[in-house]
Amino acid sequence: MLKIPSVFWKRAALACLGGVVIGGQATAQSMNDVQKIAKERGLSTADLLAAAKTFTPSGMKDDYIIFSSGGHAGQVFVIGVPSMRLLRSIAVFTPEPWQGWGYGVGEEILAEGFVNGKENLWGDTHHPALSETNGDYDGQWLFINDKINARVAVIDLRDFETKQILKNPLTVSDHGGTFVTPNTEYVIEGAQYSVPWGADYAPISEYKEKYKGSITLWKFDRKKGRIDESKSFAIELPPYWHDIADAGKGISDGYIFLNSINTEMATGGIENNNPPFEAGVSRNATDYLHIIDWKKAEKVYKAGKVDQIKGFPVISLETAIAEGLLHVTPEPRSPHGVDVAPKGDFIVVSGKLDPHATVYSFEKIMKAIESKNFSGKDEFNVPILDFDSVLEAQVEVGLGPLHTQFGPDGYAYTSLFLDSAVARWTLGGSYGAGTPEPDWTLVHKTPVHYNVGHIGVAEGDTVSPDGKYLVSFNKWSVDRFFPTGPLLPQNFQLLDISGQGTEMPVIYDMPIGIGEPHYAQMIKADKLDPWTVYPEIGWDPLHQRLDPMAPRPKSERIERSGDTVEVFMTAVRSHFKPEHVVVKQGDRVVWRITNVERAVDATHGFAIPQYNINLSLEPGETAKVEFIADTPGSFPFYCSEFCSALHLEMIGYFLVEPNE
Amino acid sequence: MSFVERIIGPRVCPAEQAKNNLRYGTPGFLILIARVLLLISLFMPYWHMDLHAPQYPDNLQLTAYLNHLDGDVVEIDGLNHYIGMRPLGEAAQIERQVGVYAMIGFVLLLEMVGFIHTRWAVLLVLPPLLFPAVFLIDLHLWMSHFGMNLDPDAPLSNSVDPFAPPILGTGLIGQFKTVAVPGVGLIMATAASFVLLLSLYFHRRAYKPLAQSEP
């Protein structure tokens, strides 16, 4: 054995002791400073602890990334956790000048979302869904719905850009989407307010006959990075209004669970002394949880047992019932969230007007379906599973329960809109051992500020939740921030849920002053692997490939053929080449431009005044804008993204000679 | 004695060779080591420069091999255009084209040393022996040629004086601190030079007595 002289140990011990003493002095000194500042600013010890948990010094990166819907901003927000710093927005349904979205790039994708050929340039994004492999986020794709126009978008997480927008031909609004099946086979989009197929006209008096509910299964082609419309189909549902959906996982893989409201089929009409929707829709004590066997539905679709409606294959309600792929069971009235537990064995439903989290057992649902344990049929002959035979537990969590997410240890978390709180409660069954408290009991409620809608736990809707952090997506902020006029920001509150029992404090408030977010998902940052520059110079982000027409260094030129002028331009710090582009009024201009930079963050903008053009060209990116040079004049085009010391000098002149 | 014989020098009779294996074997063995070092160095970087600046937290890197440049050449060229420096690819073009062949030629020359027992052997050893020094001098000449001949029409030509960045050690240009170090290849080639010097000594020690004893 190697012998170390004892003098070495003595010296080492002295060195350590010295370190402790010196370190101790330094710590005492700075703790004094901390206490002084805390006193001056009125910070409690809990505040200091929260700061220590969330403060992220310059250069330190976040452990988790949130993809948040942007509400009627029509975008997606990317936020770091625990710092709660907004990292960027992703333009989706709405033009966004910083990204050039709709000002020269993205027009063809925005146009995919036009409805009946009518320009439609805003969206109401609600529910982002990260792509999954075996029920776990894989960090490759992000889907998001647009509630107002029943559209679904596909975002590529290599460059955080929207690649596809699809308009649902059958319906006008969606809320039960987007959710993905455990291997992202399908992106699910449930219609919300029933309308006649394609939102055609029918008088409200013919509601029951003409108005339709539906759920659409969009087939995702991972290789192409696009939803394949030709392999997608829909299932007709009763003309209730349908709310949120979730895909089964684990033992319930192959099923979709979908909430409904307005099983009363109320048609409103307050002006004629009819009950207003808010009353008519909430009359019944229960609505219906829809249980859809999508694997069976896929077979039915592939067997061709579909009707073509608005050019889209639809499994009719009749077929769905006959093939046994649709069942319903009562659920507390006006439900909002339906959330499948990590193992897929329990389905948690929250009825906004009922103080319970109602938990269904998938096993019991299967038994009830097999033994045809029906308590009846609804008006459209859909078999109703007997409520008591499929119920696992009801946990009184508080007032206005909306959405549930899960921790890794057997805790479930439910947002309470009316209580303005987040409830922690225990699951039972095989999860029970993970928590010190008894099964199916409320453990704690943490007040949040205010009126929480969705909540997001780190990977909290996957097969392996991480816990640690919970973000409460609050609708109102009331007194939390400086009042920015009468329109106040929403409040994203971060809760530390790494403890047990009553320990789940709020540790950060993040105002969101752009749009009104709804759902958000939180993914471990190391699951994402985005590009920092495009792979090659001349990259076409829309198709994620090299564009053979992309201008490259030394091939810059201007070509005229007839009335068409083609510009092949490069951008590099700090010049465009060519710098003079001269055309005649009325010419069609096809302007291609490549950012030939390879340095990280060396983005160039490209803006032409009076022509409504602004591009964001990230390193390697090529773009093409086409327009008619209808306005004569002298237009300095310039780089709109501060790129270098000579950024202001990065300009050129676009000269349009007037016609005589 | 013919001219060729005079260059090749005395022969060693087999008996003598067997008796003094070490004496006659040493120079050849050392030369073999040098040849191996030189051959491996072909695949190794000869020179490396790190450019430190606030906005490049990972630094910019420039690595020179005998036949090509590697690293952030595009970015460095892009920055250099501001001060009017010509693209790095335009420097030492011939050197990069012939470098590898020259080195293979040197290694072949060294093969011949074993057959030449006079002091003429020095001529064969000299090119590879001097190679590292020639490499650095050439590099220095190119760097100062580029640094001293900036395009007067460049965007920032007024704000940067012509300069000669140090080819080893640290320098300062604009917001960049340059740190240049020899690469593994150059270190190997330099080591080969020392081994070759040693081999010349043993070469002389082995063959000089033979030459003197000849009539």
Side-chain angles (χ1 to χ4, degrees):
Chain A
M1 206 181 102
L2 185 68
K3 262 199 156 175
I4 297 164
S6 65
V7 62
F8 173 83
W9 292 118
K10 280 182 193 159
R11 281 187 191 161
L14 275 173
C16 287
L17 203 61
V20 169
V21 171
I22 293 164
Q25 280 167 352
T27 311
Q29 181 59 45
S30 34
M31 278 318 289
N32 283 342
D33 288 348
V34 170
Q35 276 162 2
K36 189 170 154 246
I37 291 165
K39 206 176 162 196
E40 280 169 11
R41 297 193 64 209
L43 302 176
S44 69
T45 310
D47 295 335
L48 293 181
L49 193 59
K53 285 172 181 173
T54 56
F55 176 69
T56 306
S58 182
M60 189 188 277
K61 294 190 181 83
D62 286 302
D63 293 337
Y64 286 89
I65 300 295
I66 286 178
F67 290 94
S68 168
S69 64
H72 32 277
Q75 304 171 353
V76 167
F77 304 140
V78 187
I79 297 161
V81 173
S83 74
M84 300 306 282
R85 295 177 294 194
L86 175 66
L87 300 173
R88 70 169 280 188
S89 72
I90 302 172
V92 188
F93 297 105
T94 312
E96 202 287 308
W98 172 54
Q99 292 157 76
W101 197 248
Y103 300 92
V105 295
E107 266 94 347
E108 53 273 76
I109 297 172
L110 285 166
E112 289 171 355
F114 291 177
V115 182
N116 296 330
K118 204 170 167 185
E119 190 174 271
N120 186 61
L121 290 175
W122 78 281
D124 187 10
T125 56
H126 274 240
H127 308 122
L130 285 156
S131 59
E132 294 180 6
T133 301
N134 299 322
D136 217 351
Y137 300 153
D138 57 35
Q140 294 184 356
W141 305 94
L142 180 74
F143 310 95
I144 192 150
N145 73 317
D146 162 34
K147 166 172 156 156
I148 181 67
N149 281 305
R151 296 181 295 179
V152 168
V154 180
I155 296 162
D156 189 335
L157 292 180
R158 282 173 294 185
D159 62 355
F160 286 43
E161 285 193 6
T162 305
K163 303 300 174 195
Q164 186 183 24
I165 292 177
L166 271 172
K167 165 73 188 114
N168 193 313
L170 299 172
T171 187
V172 75
S173 62
D174 66 27
H175 199 253
T178 52
F179 297 89
V180 296
T181 53
N183 282 302
T184 322
E185 297 95 338
Y186 288 98
V187 180
I188 301 161
E189 184 198 19
Q192 188 174 35
Y193 305 119
S194 291
V195 286
W197 291 128
D200 286 349
Y201 172 77
I204 198 90
S205 55
E206 295 171 20
Y207 182 87
K208 279 189 196 176
E209 301 77 40
K210 297 272 176 71
Y211 285 55
K212 305 288 180 187
S214 65
I215 189 163
T216 302
L217 282 81
W218 296 107
K219 179 78 190 162
F220 185 60
D221 184 336
R222 219 180 251 269
K223 221 168 164 186
K224 286 189 185 137
R226 297 287 189 278
I227 284 170
D228 186 346
E229 236 180 315
S230 71
K231 289 180 181 155
S232 306
F233 64 96
I235 304 165
E236 182 190 351
L237 298 175
Y240 311 141
W241 297 348
H242 293 94
D243 207 67
I244 289 189
D246 198 3
K249 51 187 174 249
I251 61 164
S252 56
D253 183 13
Y255 284 81
I256 295 166
F257 305 95
L258 171 68
N259 277 336
S260 61
I261 57 174
N262 198 15
T263 49
E264 299 84 351
M265 290 177 282
T267 51
I270 191 173
E271 64 284 0
N272 298 322
N273 292 326
N274 293 322
F277 276 116
E278 61 174 344
V281 165
S282 320
R283 208 175 52 234
N284 293 352
T286 56
D287 287 301
Y288 292 128
L289 171 66
H290 292 46
I291 300 149
I292 300 165
D293 184 339
W294 68 260
K295 288 201 172 157
K296 205 182 257 182
E298 188 183 44
K299 282 185 195 139
V300 170
Y301 157 63
K302 284 183 177 163
K305 294 180 205 166
V306 289
D307 301 331
Q308 291 293 329
I309 297 169
K310 301 284 169 190
F312 200 77
V314 180
I315 300 173
S316 71
L317 188 51
E318 218 173 29
T319 309
I321 296 165
E323 297 284 343
L325 54 87
L326 174 65
H327 295 84
V328 297
T329 191
E331 56 183 352
R333 65 178 168 171
S334 301
H336 208 44
V338 51
D339 299 285
V340 180
K343 293 172 191 166
D345 43 2
F346 298 131
I347 298 108
V348 181
V349 168
S350 306
K352 296 187 292 267
L353 306 179
D354 178 292
H356 294 97
T358 300
V359 184
Y360 299 84
S361 153
F362 180 71
E363 216 174 301
K364 290 179 183 174
I365 289 173
M366 286 300 99
K367 263 188 206 152
I369 291 176
E370 271 165 40
S371 60
K372 298 198 188 312
N373 188 356
F374 303 146
S375 58
K377 288 181 172 176
D378 80 347
E379 225 179 301
F380 303 89
N381 282 325
V382 182
I384 304 169
L385 304 180
D386 176 58
F387 177 68
D388 293 326
S389 72
V390 295
L391 182 71
E392 179 73 24
Q394 282 195 301
V395 183
E396 189 166 339
V397 289
L399 298 180
L402 296 186
H403 302 282
T404 299
Q405 295 255 303
F406 303 92
D409 41 17
Y411 283 131
Y413 300 87
T414 300
S415 55
L416 303 172
F417 183 80
L418 300 176
D419 274 349
S420 190
V422 174
R424 168 186 271 169
W425 51 281
T426 56
L427 295 171
S430 62
Y431 304 93
T435 54
E437 298 85 0
D439 294 356
W440 309 121
T441 41
L442 174 68
V443 176
H444 181 67
K445 285 197 255 185
T446 295
V448 292
H449 312 89
Y450 300 91
N451 296 354
V452 52
H454 282 270
I455 51 173
V457 171
E459 312 215 339
D461 63 358
T462 69
V463 292
S464 64
D466 285 8
K468 295 180 189 168
Y469 300 111
L470 180 152
V471 179
S472 174
F473 307 110
N474 304 323
K475 301 295 180 191
W476 286 19
S477 60
V478 191
D479 61 352
R480 294 291 106 174
F481 307 111
F482 177 83
T484 49
L487 181 62
L488 301 184
Q490 283 68 236
N491 188 10
F492 279 14
Q493 276 185 311
L494 180 66
L495 277 71
D496 174 7
I497 57 164
S498 56
Q500 284 190 323
T502 59
E503 204 183 313
M504 44 183 286
V506 170
I507 54 173
Y508 200 85
D509 277 33
M510 179 202 189
I512 293 276
I514 15 171
E516 191 219 350
H518 297 273
Y519 186 43
Q521 287 182 328
M522 198 192 306
I523 181 175
K524 192 94 200 298
D526 60 18
K527 284 188 177 175
L528 298 162
D529 188 20
W531 292 330
T532 48
V533 297
Y534 279 108
E536 287 177 73
I537 292 174
W539 196 260
D540 164 13
L542 175 58
H543 300 100
Q544 299 290 39
R545 63 180 181 219
L546 208 57
D547 180 354
M549 293 295 284
R552 326 183 125 266
K554 299 193 176 95
S555 79
E556 299 95 339
R557 63 198 184 276
I558 298 173
E559 287 173 358
R560 170 180 283 280
S561 68
D563 291 340
T564 298
V565 178
E566 278 197 84
V567 183
F568 294 82
M569 178 175 276
T570 58
V572 72
R573 280 161 292 166
S574 311
H575 60 266
F576 295 107
K577 189 177 178 185
E579 290 183 331
H580 295 166
V581 177
V582 185
V583 303
K584 293 191 175 66
Q585 185 181 358
D587 279 345
R588 190 171 76 94
V589 182
V590 182
W591 200 310
R592 297 171 199 271
I593 177 165
T594 305
N595 176 353
V596 300
E597 302 277 3
R598 299 314 288 149
V600 174
D601 213 359
T603 294
H604 292 292
F606 171 74
I608 309 180
Q610 294 189 36
Y611 275 87
N612 199 39
I613 288 167
N614 183 41
L615 307 180
S616 170
L617 299 161
E618 290 104 53
E621 178 172 353
T622 196
K624 181 178 88 168
V625 279
E626 281 188 60
F627 59 93
I628 304 294
D630 46 9
T631 310
S634 310
F635 306 105
F637 58 85
Y638 65 86
C639 172
S640 52
E641 178 98 13
F642 207 114
C643 62
S644 58
L646 297 177
H647 163 70
L648 296 184
E649 290 78 356
M650 189 165 170
I651 85 135
Y653 279 97
F654 174 49
L655 302 174
V656 184
E657 294 173 31
N659 293 332
E660 286 318 313
Chain B
M1 219 189 309
S2 74
F3 175 71
V4 175
E5 275 177 335
R6 220 183 288 170
I7 288 178
I8 290 174
R11 290 168 199 221
V12 189
C13 68
E16 165 76 2
Q17 179 105 32
K19 210 165 75 184
N20 290 309
N21 224 340
L22 193 63
R23 170 193 287 246
Y24 297 107
T26 302
F29 177 68
L30 289 173
I31 283 173
L32 182 70
I33 291 177
R35 291 167 72 203
V36 170
L37 282 170
L38 290 172
L39 274 179
I40 296 176
S41 86
L42 280 178
F43 304 96
M44 299 290 168
Y46 260 64
W47 180 77
H48 183 85
M49 185 183 256
D50 262 333
L51 295 94
H52 302 254
Q55 48 279 97
Y56 296 95
D58 294 334
N59 303 332
L60 290 176
Q61 322 261 341
L62 181 62
T63 306
Y65 290 77
L66 277 189
N67 60 349
H68 70 284
L69 289 171
D70 204 3
D72 303 301
V73 180
V74 175
E75 185 65 12
I76 292 167
D77 279 345
L79 295 169
N80 281 343
H81 102 278
Y82 284 118
I83 56 172
M85 193 192 272
R86 286 159 58 195
L88 295 171
E90 290 179 15
Q93 280 173 330
I94 294 173
E95 288 92 321
R96 272 182 281 124
Q97 272 169 25
V98 303
V100 171
Y101 302 110
M103 184 55 83
I104 291 171
F106 295 162
V107 170
L108 290 177
L109 278 185
L110 288 178
E111 167 74 28
M112 291 162 62
V113 175
F115 302 105
I116 294 173
H117 300 157
T118 63
R119 57 182 74 187
W120 289 103
V122 173
L123 277 187
L124 298 177
V125 173
L126 220 44
L129 192 140
L130 294 178
F131 184 77
V134 171
F135 175 88
L136 285 174
I137 291 168
D138 188 59
L139 182 66
H140 169 72
L141 289 175
W142 276 112
M143 294 283 269
S144 34
H145 175 61
F146 269 44
M148 301 304 284
N149 294 287
L150 301 177
D151 179 357
D153 294 329
L156 298 180
S157 58
N158 293 336
S159 38
V160 174
D161 289 332
F163 63 100
I167 50 158
L168 290 175
T170 57
L172 205 62
I173 168 69
Q175 81 268 42
F176 282 92
K177 185 179 110 179
T178 60
V179 181
V181 292
V184 177
L186 186 61
I187 291 169
M188 290 177 88
T190 309
S193 296
F194 283 106
V195 172
L196 286 175
L197 262 183
L198 214 57
S199 78
L200 281 180
Y201 166 76
F202 283 112
H203 186 273
R204 257 345 256 153
R205 210 176 72 158
Y207 297 109
K208 196 174 173 190
L210 277 186
Q212 281 171 346
S213 66
E214 273 190 5

